[in-house]
Amino acid sequence: MAKNLTPEMQKINARRTKHGKVRQSTPGKEAWLRLIRNKVAILGMIILILLALVAILAPVLTPYGFDEVNMKDKLQFPSAKHPFGTDQLGRDMLTRCIYGTRITMPIAIFAVLFAILVGGVLGIIAAYFGGTVDNTIMRIIDIWGSIPGIMLAIAIVACLGNNETVLVIGLSMGAVPNMARTFRGAIFTVIDSDYVESSKAMGASNFRIMFRHLVPNAVGPVILAIVGLLGVEVLCVSALSFVGVGISPPTPEWGSLLSTGRQYLSSHAYLCLFPGIMIMLAVLGFNLLGDGLRDALDPRLK
Amino acid sequence: MLRYILKRLLWLIPVMVGVITIVFAITVLTPGDPAASLLDRNATQEQIDEVHHRLGLDKPVLERWFNYVVGVFTRFDFGTSYTTMQPVRDEVLAKLPYTLILAVVSVSLAVLIGIPLGVWSALKQYTITDGSVLFLSVLFVSMPNFWLSMLLISLLSVSLGLLPSFFVNGDWTGWIMPIVVATIGSMAQFIRITRSSMLEVMRQDYIRTARAKGQKEDVIVMHHMMRNAMIPVATSIGSGLGNALGGNMTVEIVFSLPGIGSYIVNAISTRNYPGMLGGILVTAIMFTVVNLLVDIAYVIIDPRLKSQITGKKASKRKLNQMLREQGVTV
């Protein structure tokens, strides 16, 4: 049971007890309640859930295949039959945009997960051990971070090959410095707490202190950074494909759809319009959710 | 203060060696042979060996790495481009102004427009003004800048014929759209950061004190709030410039602006490794220098830090700790 309750939490608990429900409120529960009452966050979640459904239900949603060539109907402007129009090979753009969800989103999500794994561990170790370990790790991170993330990703992907695995690794390598700094900063805010000292006194292992005590308590800023990074990575995946080093054209990745559409910009601008809207929706979903989370985790600003 | 700046400048040396090492490691892990992509497919082994020798690829990796590092620091030599056989240094220096102009002009404009908008939005919290500024800024942050570029080209160049759709040297109108696109993206960041920083400051006790003693509202906003709220914003100017150096790459490509970003992408697609290495190295140097300038500006804005650097009891540990609290990397 949580001992150090804020007055706000005590009030909530008191109210619940009065109504006959004895349920303790914890900071996490409270943040969750604030989150689902936050309209901005709900809007973001709705967008993301819709995109996830679109990705899962892609074959059901559209009568065409994403690589179904139909030269008779090439470069058709949007109509009832093809709401987003067709491209230079007569492929339905709506279908290609829908299938793009299946490609861009997982790459972005896996890139972020991998960046959390590498950067998070580095940041936690740096913050926990401090001193020389901290200095060494952070110096390396500073050097690593002086190459803009997207440039590092482009260099890695272009040199090591255009497939999804390399793309995930390249993008995550660009994001590691950011993650390491976030984790380190978040751990620093809780490392001097009494509960860390007491578990040290009780002989808990470093590993246990790091992952059972420090990480769960420092999770707020970390979640914010992760949600923000997800949006950035969606942008990066499509930027890489747009530049021509990510996913290459026959696959309907949003950025590569845009790079194909760019050749028809002067006559068929709709080819560029819709994939861009898809990218924007995905990034918007993560950003709105992030804004809502910020308010939920730090209610002082609300 | 001078000692501090000098020390930070010396930090450039490990940064450069580190960046060279990272990029070298990437090129070493690359499958395939750059010589083969320079020659046609049925080149003989002798021709390939000849190219290897000319490019210095017949030497072991560590020796190449060592020679490159020594070359950079003693002769300012960034290697020779595989494709044009020109010194990479000259090529990169010719591209540098375009990237710098785009980054500096767009970030300055973004600061000039974004900070007042952020302050205004925070002062009007809970109103429609605040909501719409916030909504527009989150929309702009979410737009891919190459998409925004294409929309603008489609509207202003193709439909209305007002502006050229790509950059040509000597025609200043070619700058307008790249700068607008780059500005919009980073402006949105400044609005968001300024707003949340202002909201944080507005709830501080010293603001209540100032109001209680009857201070004029505009003095409170300008002196009590702004001075304190600008500290996190100053860091974000640095990271905004840093992001612009890397993130405007796609804008450069869409508008055929001959900056470092498009140079690196060209070098990568032609397997011109020295070109790629030189471009990334120069970007990293700019990034580090920008961060140094921001930290110096920081010390000027925040008097607490100044005493830590120049005062009698200057303590390195305390200074670093304070800088870290503000989110500066030291």
Side-chain angles (χ1 to χ4, degrees):
Chain A
M1 208 188 289
K3 275 278 170 347
N4 45 351
L5 298 180
T6 63
E8 198 188 354
M9 283 189 251
Q10 283 168 357
K11 233 185 279 169
I12 293 179
N13 285 341
R15 209 180 317 142
R16 285 205 184 125
T17 323
K18 219 174 359 186
H19 290 297
K21 284 185 223 157
V22 189
R23 254 193 290 154
Q24 287 291 336
S25 185
T26 62
K29 249 189 222 166
E30 230 196 287
W32 171 249
L33 283 178
R34 272 197 300 268
L35 184 67
I36 55 172
R37 262 189 259 123
N38 186 311
K39 283 179 209 138
V40 175
I42 292 294
L43 184 61
M45 277 195 252
I46 290 175
I47 293 177
L48 292 174
I49 291 171
L50 280 180
L51 282 174
L53 285 178
V54 162
I56 294 165
L57 300 175
V60 188
L61 288 175
T62 151
Y64 309 98
F66 67 87
D67 49 2
E68 202 176 298
V69 176
N70 180 359
M71 291 307 277
K72 253 195 318 199
D73 286 343
K74 69 171 183 179
L75 291 172
Q76 298 244 316
F77 278 82
S79 62
K81 201 174 155 212
H82 299 287
F84 286 8
T86 60
D87 67 1
Q88 78 282 7
L89 296 174
R91 293 173 293 198
D92 181 51
M93 279 303 280
L94 175 62
T95 309
R96 289 177 74 69
C97 285
I98 286 177
Y99 275 90
T101 323
R102 284 188 160 187
I103 295 157
T104 313
M105 301 292 268
I107 293 177
I109 291 169
F110 279 115
V112 171
L113 287 179
F114 200 62
I116 294 171
L117 197 71
V118 180
V121 168
L122 284 176
I124 294 168
I125 291 176
Y128 183 73
F129 290 104
T132 325
V133 179
D134 182 28
N135 265 331
T136 319
I137 292 181
M138 290 327 280
R139 291 297 179 200
I140 294 172
I141 291 291
D142 282 347
I143 293 174
W144 193 335
S146 65
I147 304 177
I150 189 164
M151 263 182 205
L152 191 58
I154 287 183
I156 291 176
V157 177
C159 291
L160 302 188
N162 287 11
N163 60 55
E164 272 91 345
T165 321
V166 175
L167 201 56
V168 166
I169 294 174
L171 286 166
S172 59
M173 287 302 115
V176 162
N178 178 358
M179 278 292 112
R181 289 193 188 118
T182 311
F183 269 87
R184 175 172 172 275
I187 297 290
F188 261 137
T189 58
V190 291
I191 197 141
D192 290 330
S193 319
D194 293 337
Y195 54 78
V196 174
E197 211 153 312
S198 60
S199 57
K200 245 183 220 167
M202 285 159 73
S205 68
N206 285 334
F207 187 84
R208 188 183 164 84
I209 296 174
M210 275 190 259
F211 290 94
R212 287 301 297 269
H213 297 289
L214 290 178
V215 174
N217 281 294
V219 87
V222 168
I223 289 183
L224 277 184
I226 290 172
V227 174
L229 187 62
L230 278 164
V232 171
E233 291 301 326
V234 171
L235 285 178
C236 282
V237 176
S238 37
L240 254 65
S241 310
F242 180 75
V243 165
V245 298
I247 307 284
S248 31
T251 318
E253 203 281 327
W254 293 329
S256 73
L257 290 181
L258 280 177
S259 107
T260 316
R262 190 180 160 210
Q263 296 153 22
Y264 299 90
L265 188 59
S266 51
S267 52
H268 298 80
Y270 64 89
L271 285 178
C272 293
L273 186 63
F274 297 111
I277 292 180
M278 294 299 283
I279 301 175
M280 195 175 74
L281 270 182
V283 183
L284 193 65
F286 287 123
N287 282 342
L288 290 178
L289 179 61
D291 284 1
L293 268 173
R294 179 168 298 127
D295 292 338
L297 292 169
D298 190 3
R300 283 174 306 152
L301 298 184
K302 194 55 194 169
Chain B
M1 187 73 185
L2 203 66
R3 254 188 68 202
Y4 174 72
I5 296 174
L6 213 67
K7 235 165 81 186
R8 291 290 304 269
L9 280 176
L10 279 178
W11 171 236
L12 262 176
I13 296 171
V15 166
M16 285 164 72
V17 176
V19 170
I20 293 170
T21 313
I22 293 174
V23 182
F24 249 83
I26 297 173
T27 57
V28 167
L29 292 172
T30 306
D33 185 353
S37 56
L38 288 176
L39 297 163
D40 54 55
R41 204 164 294 163
N42 42 19
T44 60
Q45 187 58 43
E46 274 153 34
Q47 280 173 304
I48 293 179
D49 287 344
E50 203 268 328
V51 173
H52 273 184
H53 182 71
R54 188 157 44 98
L55 302 178
L57 286 173
D58 48 353
K59 292 183 189 123
V61 179
L62 275 178
E63 197 185 328
R64 271 189 285 151
W65 174 84
F66 184 75
N67 287 342
Y68 191 90
V69 172
V70 170
V72 166
F73 285 110
T74 54
R75 284 166 280 132
F76 200 55
D77 175 11
F78 284 39
T80 311
S81 162
Y82 286 173
T83 42
T84 57
M85 286 301 160
Q86 297 295 312
V88 170
R89 175 193 54 205
D90 299 349
E91 290 190 346
V92 171
L93 285 184
K95 312 277 177 191
L96 188 58
Y98 296 96
T99 300
L100 274 182
I101 289 175
L102 184 61
V104 171
V105 173
S106 63
V107 172
S108 318
L109 282 175
V111 166
L112 287 178
I113 307 169
I115 291 181
L117 271 179
V119 172
W120 188 48
S121 170
L123 292 175
K124 302 225 171 222
Q125 204 193 1
Y126 303 128
T127 64
I128 295 177
T129 330
D130 178 38
S132 39
V133 168
L134 208 57
F135 179 72
L136 278 182
S137 67
V138 74
L139 205 65
F140 284 140
V141 168
S142 309
M143 274 183 201
N145 55 12
F146 48 95
W147 181 61
L148 187 61
S149 314
M150 292 197 292
L151 289 188
L152 280 184
I153 290 179
S154 169
L155 181 71
L156 296 178
S157 311
V158 180
S159 304
L160 300 175
L162 287 176
L163 291 169
S165 63
F166 54 89
F167 178 83
V168 182
N169 240 331
D171 181 10
W172 65 271
T173 52
W175 278 107
I176 296 178
M177 278 200 285
I179 287 178
V180 167
V181 171
T183 304
I184 283 180
S186 57
M187 181 184 77
Q189 299 279 15
F190 288 122
I191 293 178
R192 285 153 63 92
I193 293 163
T194 311
R195 178 179 174 275
S196 58
S197 169
M198 277 295 282
L199 288 180
E200 184 118 34
V201 168
M202 279 161 69
R203 281 153 178 70
Q204 297 292 328
D205 288 339
Y206 52 78
I207 301 294
R208 196 178 304 140
T209 311
R211 286 226 171 88
K213 72 178 188 190
Q215 184 58 274
K216 278 187 232 126
E217 192 61 31
D218 52 327
V219 177
I220 294 180
V221 172
M222 293 307 291
H223 288 247
H224 295 75
M225 291 183 188
M226 289 281 276
R227 265 214 85 162
N228 290 295
M230 282 311 110
I231 291 171
V233 178
T235 354
S236 71
I237 294 178
S239 62
L241 260 176
N243 288 342
L245 294 175
N248 287 341
M249 186 184 255
T250 40
V251 180
E252 286 178 8
I253 290 169
V254 177
F255 291 105
S256 343
L257 199 71
I260 293 203
S262 48
Y263 178 75
I264 292 175
V265 172
N266 275 334
I268 285 176
S269 57
T270 52
R271 290 201 161 210
N272 173 12
Y273 295 144
M276 171 177 104
L277 178 50
I280 293 180
L281 191 55
V282 168
T283 312
I285 294 173
M286 285 194 295
F287 188 82
T288 313
V289 171
V290 163
N291 273 324
L292 169 62
L293 292 178
V294 171
D295 288 354
I296 294 172
Y298 227 68
V299 174
I300 296 169
I301 301 176
D302 195 339
R304 285 175 304 170
L305 296 177
K306 200 178 195 168
S307 65
Q308 290 299 326
I309 288 178
T310 51
K312 270 184 191 157
K313 285 187 184 166
S315 141
K316 192 184 145 212
R317 230 188 90 237
K318 215 168 165 197
L319 169 72
N320 284 350
Q321 194 189 344
M322 285 172 90
L323 280 170
R324 276 194 192 114
E325 272 168 19
Q326 307 282 0
V328 180
T329 51
V330 276

